[in-house]
Amino acid sequence: MFRRLNRAASSVASLHPPTTVRRIAAAGTFVAALEALSQHKRFVKGDLLGSQVEACHPRLARHYPRVNRALTSKAFPYAVYGTQAAVSAATFLRPRNRALRIAGGTTLAALQSAQSAFIPFGRDGADQLQHVINVTMASTGLIRDLEKADDLAMRTLALETSLSYVASGVVKAVSPIWLKGDAVAGVMRTRNYGHPGAHQVINRYPAISKALSWGTIAIECGFPLIYVLPKPAARAYLATMSAFHLGIGQFVGLNRFVLAFGATHPAIHYVLSQRRRELTAATRATATLAA
């Protein structure tokens, strides 16, 4: 199992990290846009996927009636999600285009900000991480030296992902339900995020829920260890996190988290590779000085 995880991680690491990040992230925003467009019947004013400008920004609605009419029309969500799908597709097809990196990332970030402001329902942590990716790739694209731009982007995303995992783990670690080991069992029996088959198994074997609850806290809180572990163990750890997200997508239904966090994993592979090169260079420099 360890060898399989390591081989999978190595195959990802062999790809060009910035390109892989942009393609996976673009796939995520494209899928998110299609999911929203598939629910177009709910774009009407006042519905969950319709514009909520009057509820969220009453002053804007009162003082700028024309803007309010535009934002509350059914055409607004069509325009937002349609543009998001188009820009995401272009980014996926041309991930190394610098102009598209800047303009596309900026556009996607602006669209996601508009969604947060005017269509706040139906969003989750995957959207927030996608927003971070778009802002990071667009802003670093302004750096003329492409190698430096990519290096900064990968290190930024690796740091953001590490902080996200640790923050999530700490929140669980102070939760009585998670510490008691009942969190996973509780999720599996809900209507929105549950899985009947998994619930039956966990209900029969409660120890599984405890193992999964405590295991989730451990791997999230301990994620920074990946930067000090030996290379094979670090690659396997990251592959385990990928499997963790795939499992959540399969049993909890949060499929877009697979693409959101999966988009940042190549950045972590990059940092791990750079760490190894830096350590090797430092060792050689020390040996040269000693000689």
Side-chain angles (χ1 to χ4, degrees), residues 76-206:
F76 178 68
Y78 271 114
V80 169
Y81 294 118
T83 304
Q84 179 176 314
V87 175
S88 298
T91 301
F92 184 87
L93 295 173
R94 300 288 301 278
R96 298 198 184 194
N97 185 288
R98 184 169 179 268
L100 183 58
R101 171 175 176 167
I102 299 171
T106 301
T107 301
L108 289 173
L111 290 171
Q112 288 178 308
S113 295
Q115 292 169 31
S116 297
F118 303 116
I119 314 173
F121 299 112
R123 298 173 58 75
D124 51 35
D127 298 297
Q128 296 170 7
L129 186 57
Q130 290 279 14
H131 185 74
V132 170
I133 295 171
N134 288 323
V135 170
T136 299
M137 298 306 293
S139 57
T140 54
L142 296 171
I143 300 173
R144 290 192 176 186
D145 188 323
L146 185 58
E147 186 175 343
K148 289 183 178 179
D150 288 342
D151 181 75
L152 179 59
M154 296 302 96
R155 292 179 187 274
T156 301
L157 292 178
L159 176 61
E160 173 62 30
T161 306
S162 301
L163 291 174
S164 296
Y165 281 134
V166 172
S168 179
V170 170
V171 169
K172 294 180 178 68
V174 298
S175 167
I177 297 176
W178 278 92
L179 289 176
K180 192 177 179 181
D182 295 337
V184 174
V187 172
M188 287 299 105
R189 63 171 172 260
T190 62
R191 176 175 296 180
N192 290 336
Y193 300 109
H195 188 283
H199 175 252
Q200 290 179 2
V201 173
I202 290 176
N203 193 46
R204 183 177 300 177
Y205 305 102

Side-chain angles (χ1 to χ4, degrees), residues 63 71 141 175 233 275 277:
H63 296 299
L71 293 176
S175 167
R275 185 200 67 177
R277 294 191 187 99

Side-chain angles (χ1 to χ4, degrees), residues 33-83:
L34 292 188
E35 284 183 351
L37 289 169
S38 69
Q39 301 292 321
H40 60 89
K41 292 182 180 179
R42 310 206 70 172
F43 286 174
V44 295
K45 179 181 177 181
D47 208 331
L48 286 178
L49 295 182
S51 177
Q52 306 292 326
V53 63
E54 292 180 348
C56 298
H57 305 279
R59 289 185 178 181
L60 175 65
R62 286 197 306 269
H63 296 299
Y64 302 96
R66 291 184 179 180
V67 175
N68 178 55
R69 282 196 295 272
L71 293 176
T72 56
S73 69
K74 195 173 182 179
F76 178 68
Y78 271 114
V80 169
Y81 294 118
T83 304

